[in-house]
Amino acid sequence: MNLSSLGFFRSLRKDNHQFAVIGLGRFGRSVCSTLNRLGYEVLATDIDEKRVSEALNDEIVGHALQLDSTESGALKEAGIFEFDTVIIAIGNYIQESIITTLNVKEGGVPHVVAKASSEVHQKLLKRVGADHVVFPEYEAGCALARTLTKPSILDRFDLDPDNSIVEVIVPDEFHGKTVAELQLRNRYGLNLLAVSQDGKFKINPEPNRRLERGSAMVVIGCNKDINRLPI
Ligand code: ATP
Protein backbone atom coordinates (compact mmCIF):
# COMPACT_ATOMS: atom_id res chain seq x y z
CA MET A 1 0.00 0.00 0.00
CA ASN A 2 1.21 3.53 -0.64
CA LEU A 3 -0.09 7.04 -0.07
CA SER A 4 -1.76 7.21 -3.48
CA SER A 5 -4.01 4.28 -2.43
CA LEU A 6 -4.93 5.98 0.84
CA GLY A 7 -7.87 7.92 -0.65
CA PHE A 8 -9.35 4.74 -2.07
CA PHE A 9 -9.08 2.72 1.16
CA ARG A 10 -10.43 5.62 3.20
CA SER A 11 -13.45 5.88 0.93
CA LEU A 12 -14.44 2.22 1.48
CA ARG A 13 -17.50 1.84 3.69
CA LYS A 14 -16.67 0.19 7.01
CA ASP A 15 -20.15 -1.31 7.27
CA ASN A 16 -19.99 -2.98 3.85
CA HIS A 17 -20.33 -6.75 4.17
CA GLN A 18 -20.93 -7.72 0.57
CA PHE A 19 -18.57 -8.01 -2.35
CA ALA A 20 -18.90 -9.13 -5.95
CA VAL A 21 -15.99 -10.86 -7.65
CA ILE A 22 -15.91 -11.19 -11.44
CA GLY A 23 -13.59 -13.92 -12.69
CA LEU A 24 -12.78 -17.16 -10.92
CA GLY A 25 -9.16 -17.75 -11.90
CA ARG A 26 -6.56 -18.35 -9.19
CA PHE A 27 -6.60 -14.70 -8.13
CA GLY A 28 -10.39 -14.36 -8.06
CA ARG A 29 -10.74 -17.61 -6.12
CA SER A 30 -8.25 -16.48 -3.51
CA VAL A 31 -10.13 -13.18 -3.06
CA CYS A 32 -13.44 -15.08 -2.75
CA SER A 33 -12.22 -17.70 -0.30
CA THR A 34 -10.54 -15.13 1.95
CA LEU A 35 -13.58 -12.84 2.03
CA ASN A 36 -15.79 -15.85 2.66
CA ARG A 37 -13.56 -17.11 5.49
CA LEU A 38 -13.61 -13.65 7.05
CA GLY A 39 -17.41 -13.82 7.16
CA TYR A 40 -18.29 -11.52 4.24
CA GLU A 41 -20.97 -12.30 1.72
CA VAL A 42 -19.58 -12.88 -1.78
CA LEU A 43 -21.29 -13.08 -5.14
CA ALA A 44 -18.89 -14.58 -7.68
CA THR A 45 -19.39 -14.69 -11.44
CA ASP A 46 -17.56 -16.26 -14.34
CA ILE A 47 -18.31 -16.91 -18.00
CA ASP A 48 -17.25 -20.52 -17.49
CA GLU A 49 -20.01 -22.65 -15.96
CA LYS A 50 -17.43 -25.19 -14.70
CA ARG A 51 -15.59 -22.55 -12.66
CA VAL A 52 -18.89 -21.37 -11.20
CA SER A 53 -19.81 -24.92 -10.10
CA GLU A 54 -16.31 -25.50 -8.69
CA ALA A 55 -16.54 -22.36 -6.57
CA LEU A 56 -19.91 -23.48 -5.18
CA ASN A 57 -18.78 -27.08 -4.63
CA ASP A 58 -15.61 -25.95 -2.88
CA GLU A 59 -17.76 -23.64 -0.75
CA ILE A 60 -15.48 -20.65 -1.30
CA VAL A 61 -18.52 -18.43 -2.01
CA GLY A 62 -22.13 -18.25 -0.91
CA HIS A 63 -23.46 -17.31 -4.35
CA ALA A 64 -22.08 -17.79 -7.84
CA LEU A 65 -23.51 -17.11 -11.29
CA GLN A 66 -22.49 -17.84 -14.84
CA LEU A 67 -22.50 -14.69 -16.96
CA ASP A 68 -20.51 -12.79 -19.57
CA SER A 69 -19.37 -9.62 -17.84
CA THR A 70 -18.76 -7.83 -21.14
CA GLU A 71 -22.57 -7.66 -21.39
CA SER A 72 -23.77 -4.79 -19.28
CA GLY A 73 -27.33 -6.14 -19.23
CA ALA A 74 -26.16 -9.43 -17.69
CA LEU A 75 -24.33 -7.57 -14.91
CA LYS A 76 -27.39 -5.41 -14.23
CA GLU A 77 -29.69 -8.43 -14.09
CA ALA A 78 -27.34 -10.20 -11.66
CA GLY A 79 -27.46 -7.16 -9.36
CA ILE A 80 -23.74 -6.40 -9.69
CA PHE A 81 -24.42 -2.65 -9.98
CA GLU A 82 -25.99 -2.65 -6.51
CA PHE A 83 -22.70 -3.60 -4.84
CA ASP A 84 -20.54 -1.01 -3.16
CA THR A 85 -17.31 -2.83 -4.08
CA VAL A 86 -16.66 -5.04 -7.10
CA ILE A 87 -13.40 -6.86 -7.78
CA ILE A 88 -12.61 -7.57 -11.42
CA ALA A 89 -10.30 -10.57 -11.37
CA ILE A 90 -9.75 -11.08 -15.09
CA GLY A 91 -6.02 -10.77 -15.64
CA ASN A 92 -5.35 -12.72 -18.80
CA TYR A 93 -8.15 -11.44 -21.01
CA ILE A 94 -7.35 -7.75 -21.42
CA GLN A 95 -10.27 -6.85 -23.67
CA GLU A 96 -12.79 -8.56 -21.37
CA SER A 97 -11.19 -6.99 -18.31
CA ILE A 98 -11.34 -3.46 -19.80
CA ILE A 99 -14.93 -3.79 -21.05
CA THR A 100 -16.04 -5.27 -17.72
CA THR A 101 -14.40 -2.43 -15.78
CA LEU A 102 -16.08 0.13 -18.03
CA ASN A 103 -19.46 -1.61 -17.61
CA VAL A 104 -19.19 -1.78 -13.84
CA LYS A 105 -18.13 1.85 -13.52
CA GLU A 106 -20.87 2.99 -15.91
CA GLY A 107 -23.30 0.92 -13.86
CA GLY A 108 -22.52 3.21 -10.93
CA VAL A 109 -20.46 0.97 -8.65
CA PRO A 110 -18.50 3.36 -6.40
CA HIS A 111 -15.50 1.12 -5.65
CA VAL A 112 -14.03 -0.93 -8.45
CA VAL A 113 -10.82 -2.89 -7.91
CA ALA A 114 -9.26 -4.49 -10.98
CA LYS A 115 -6.39 -6.89 -11.52
CA ALA A 116 -3.79 -5.98 -14.14
CA SER A 117 -1.40 -8.35 -15.84
CA SER A 118 0.93 -5.77 -17.40
CA GLU A 119 1.83 -2.11 -17.12
CA VAL A 120 -0.23 -1.20 -20.19
CA HIS A 121 -3.17 -3.13 -18.76
CA GLN A 122 -2.78 -1.20 -15.49
CA LYS A 123 -2.87 2.15 -17.38
CA LEU A 124 -5.90 1.13 -19.42
CA LEU A 125 -7.81 0.02 -16.32
CA LYS A 126 -7.19 3.39 -14.70
CA ARG A 127 -8.27 5.19 -17.89
CA VAL A 128 -11.62 3.38 -17.97
CA GLY A 129 -12.27 4.28 -14.34
CA ALA A 130 -10.92 1.53 -12.05
CA ASP A 131 -10.60 3.07 -8.59
CA HIS A 132 -7.79 0.76 -7.49
CA VAL A 133 -5.58 -1.47 -9.61
CA VAL A 134 -3.53 -4.37 -8.32
CA PHE A 135 -0.73 -6.05 -10.25
CA PRO A 136 0.05 -9.14 -8.14
CA GLU A 137 2.72 -10.69 -10.39
CA TYR A 138 4.70 -7.42 -10.39
CA GLU A 139 4.27 -6.92 -6.64
CA ALA A 140 5.28 -10.52 -5.86
CA GLY A 141 8.32 -10.20 -8.15
CA CYS A 142 9.49 -7.03 -6.38
CA ALA A 143 9.01 -8.69 -2.98
CA LEU A 144 10.97 -11.79 -4.05
CA ALA A 145 13.88 -9.73 -5.42
CA ARG A 146 14.05 -7.81 -2.15
CA THR A 147 13.98 -11.00 -0.06
CA LEU A 148 16.71 -12.62 -2.15
CA THR A 149 19.01 -9.60 -1.94
CA LYS A 150 18.33 -8.80 1.74
CA PRO A 151 17.44 -12.13 3.37
CA SER A 152 17.72 -10.61 6.86
CA ILE A 153 14.67 -8.45 6.13
CA LEU A 154 11.80 -10.75 7.05
CA ASP A 155 8.99 -8.36 6.26
CA ARG A 156 8.62 -4.84 5.04
CA PHE A 157 5.89 -2.22 4.94
CA ASP A 158 6.63 0.68 2.60
CA LEU A 159 5.14 3.85 4.05
CA ASP A 160 6.16 5.83 0.95
CA PRO A 161 9.03 5.45 -1.55
CA ASP A 162 11.57 6.67 1.04
CA ASN A 163 10.37 5.38 4.41
CA SER A 164 9.52 1.91 5.70
CA ILE A 165 8.81 -0.27 8.67
CA VAL A 166 10.92 -3.43 8.51
CA GLU A 167 11.16 -6.62 10.50
CA VAL A 168 14.78 -7.77 10.52
CA ILE A 169 16.81 -10.56 12.09
CA VAL A 170 18.83 -9.08 14.98
CA PRO A 171 22.35 -8.60 13.55
CA ASP A 172 25.17 -10.59 15.21
CA GLU A 173 26.89 -7.43 16.35
CA PHE A 174 23.77 -6.37 18.30
CA HIS A 175 23.78 -9.66 20.27
CA GLY A 176 23.87 -9.18 24.04
CA LYS A 177 23.49 -5.38 23.85
CA THR A 178 20.64 -3.57 25.54
CA VAL A 179 18.27 -1.31 23.62
CA ALA A 180 19.87 1.70 25.36
CA GLU A 181 23.39 0.58 24.44
CA LEU A 182 22.49 0.17 20.79
CA GLN A 183 21.53 3.85 20.39
CA LEU A 184 19.67 3.06 17.20
CA ARG A 185 18.26 6.58 16.97
CA ASN A 186 21.62 8.32 17.36
CA ARG A 187 23.68 5.91 15.30
CA TYR A 188 21.23 4.99 12.55
CA GLY A 189 18.33 7.46 12.79
CA LEU A 190 15.95 4.53 13.36
CA ASN A 191 13.26 3.98 15.96
CA LEU A 192 12.85 0.53 17.48
CA LEU A 193 9.20 -0.50 17.62
CA ALA A 194 9.35 -4.11 18.80
CA VAL A 195 11.63 -7.03 19.66
CA SER A 196 10.67 -10.68 19.43
CA GLN A 197 10.88 -13.11 22.31
CA ASP A 198 9.56 -16.68 22.46
CA GLY A 199 7.62 -16.28 19.21
CA LYS A 200 5.89 -13.08 20.30
CA PHE A 201 6.70 -9.41 19.93
CA LYS A 202 7.35 -7.05 22.82
CA ILE A 203 6.15 -3.64 21.64
CA ASN A 204 8.13 -0.56 22.80
CA PRO A 205 10.84 -2.65 24.50
CA GLU A 206 12.35 -1.17 27.70
CA PRO A 207 15.84 0.42 27.43
CA ASN A 208 17.39 -2.37 29.54
CA ARG A 209 16.10 -5.21 27.35
CA ARG A 210 18.91 -7.25 25.76
CA LEU A 211 18.75 -8.29 22.13
CA GLU A 212 19.58 -11.83 21.16
CA ARG A 213 21.11 -13.23 18.01
CA GLY A 214 18.51 -14.93 15.82
CA SER A 215 15.51 -13.08 17.24
CA ALA A 216 13.71 -10.39 15.26
CA MET A 217 13.28 -6.66 15.69
CA VAL A 218 11.02 -4.11 14.03
CA VAL A 219 12.31 -0.66 13.17
CA ILE A 220 10.87 2.40 11.43
CA GLY A 221 12.93 4.87 9.47
CA CYS A 222 14.09 6.01 6.09
CA ASN A 223 15.33 3.40 3.65
CA LYS A 224 18.82 4.91 3.46
CA ASP A 225 19.21 4.47 7.23
CA ILE A 226 17.69 0.97 7.21
CA ASN A 227 20.27 0.02 4.56
CA ARG A 228 23.07 1.08 6.95
CA LEU A 229 22.09 -1.60 9.49
CA PRO A 230 24.75 -4.35 9.70
CA ILE A 231 22.40 -7.00 8.32
P1 ATP B 1 -4.45 -16.89 -13.03
O1 ATP B 1 -5.59 -17.81 -12.75
O2 ATP B 1 -3.57 -17.34 -14.17
O3 ATP B 1 -3.70 -16.49 -11.79
P2 ATP B 1 -6.28 -14.76 -13.22
O4 ATP B 1 -6.65 -15.04 -11.82
O5 ATP B 1 -6.05 -13.32 -13.63
O6 ATP B 1 -5.01 -15.54 -13.63
P3 ATP B 1 -7.61 -15.35 -15.67
O7 ATP B 1 -6.83 -16.40 -16.38
O8 ATP B 1 -7.50 -13.98 -16.19
O9 ATP B 1 -7.35 -15.42 -14.11
O10 ATP B 1 -9.12 -15.79 -15.67
C1 ATP B 1 -10.06 -15.14 -14.88
C2 ATP B 1 -11.40 -15.73 -15.09
O11 ATP B 1 -12.16 -14.79 -15.82
C3 ATP B 1 -11.49 -17.06 -15.83
O12 ATP B 1 -12.10 -18.03 -15.01
C4 ATP B 1 -12.36 -16.73 -17.05
O13 ATP B 1 -13.29 -17.76 -17.36
C5 ATP B 1 -13.10 -15.49 -16.57
N1 ATP B 1 -13.57 -14.66 -17.67
C6 ATP B 1 -12.94 -14.38 -18.82
N2 ATP B 1 -13.72 -13.62 -19.60
C7 ATP B 1 -14.86 -13.41 -18.93
C8 ATP B 1 -16.07 -12.71 -19.20
N3 ATP B 1 -16.25 -12.07 -20.37
N4 ATP B 1 -17.05 -12.72 -18.28
C9 ATP B 1 -16.87 -13.36 -17.09
N5 ATP B 1 -15.78 -14.05 -16.78
C10 ATP B 1 -14.78 -14.09 -17.68
Side-chain angles (χ1 to χ4, degrees):
M1 219 256 283
N2 54 39
L3 287 181
S4 59
S5 317
L6 195 62
F8 170 75
F9 286 105
R10 280 191 58 202
S11 72
L12 290 175
R13 275 176 34 204
K14 291 197 180 67
D15 60 350
N16 175 38
H17 286 277
Q18 296 179 327
F19 294 87
V21 176
I22 301 177
L24 285 164
R26 283 174 290 188
F27 179 76
R29 280 180 61 96
S30 78
V31 174
C32 287
S33 57
T34 306
L35 286 169
N36 192 42
R37 214 174 323 118
L38 292 170
Y40 292 86
E41 224 175 290
V42 185
L43 168 63
T45 70
D46 199 290
I47 197 168
D48 184 345
E49 181 68 58
K50 207 170 128 239
R51 295 208 167 179
V52 171
S53 326
E54 271 168 10
L56 288 169
N57 291 339
D58 297 344
E59 296 181 2
I60 61 163
V61 284
H63 317 274
L65 292 172
Q66 187 274 333
L67 61 79
D68 180 351
S69 57
T70 61
E71 288 177 14
S72 187
L75 292 170
K76 189 170 194 283
E77 202 179 315
I80 300 289
F81 298 156
E82 312 307 317
F83 281 79
D84 179 71
T85 305
V86 175
I87 298 106
I88 297 161
I90 306 176
N92 295 312
Y93 306 86
I94 298 197
Q95 187 172 320
E96 285 76 359
S97 146
I98 301 296
I99 297 172
T100 303
T101 305
L102 193 62
N103 284 343
V104 174
K105 268 327 277 182
E106 282 187 352
V109 173
H111 301 106
V112 176
V113 182
K115 182 200 169 186
S117 56
S118 67
E119 263 177 70
V120 176
H121 190 185
Q122 188 170 25
K123 276 190 196 161
L124 289 169
L125 287 168
K126 285 194 179 146
R127 281 286 172 102
V128 294
D131 301 285
H132 184 58
V133 179
V134 291
F135 187 175
E137 286 88 353
Y138 174 80
E139 285 148 23
C142 292
L144 175 66
R146 278 178 161 169
T147 316
L148 293 175
T149 50
K150 283 263 180 211
S152 303
I153 298 185
L154 303 172
D155 210 350
R156 156 170 226 129
F157 181 82
D158 293 326
L159 295 167
D160 62 30
D162 300 321
N163 301 290
S164 309
I165 297 173
V166 292
E167 178 187 351
V168 295
I169 298 174
V170 169
D172 282 353
E173 65 176 81
F174 289 2
H175 175 71
K177 300 220 169 84
T178 64
V179 170
E181 283 165 354
L182 280 178
Q183 295 196 53
L184 280 176
R185 201 174 304 164
N186 286 342
R187 287 169 61 207
Y188 295 98
L190 300 173
N191 278 306
L192 181 66
L193 300 178
V195 174
S196 78
Q197 192 180 28
D198 304 327
K200 282 192 161 184
F201 273 101
K202 170 79 187 136
I203 312 296
N204 292 329
E206 314 79 43
N208 61 356
R209 178 174 288 262
R210 281 189 196 283
L211 275 80
E212 284 171 29
R213 185 184 290 120
S215 58
M217 61 187 214
V218 179
V219 297
I220 182 170
C222 80
N223 296 335
K224 263 197 237 146
D225 291 331
I226 291 169
N227 288 337
R228 292 196 296 118
L229 282 171
I231 51 174

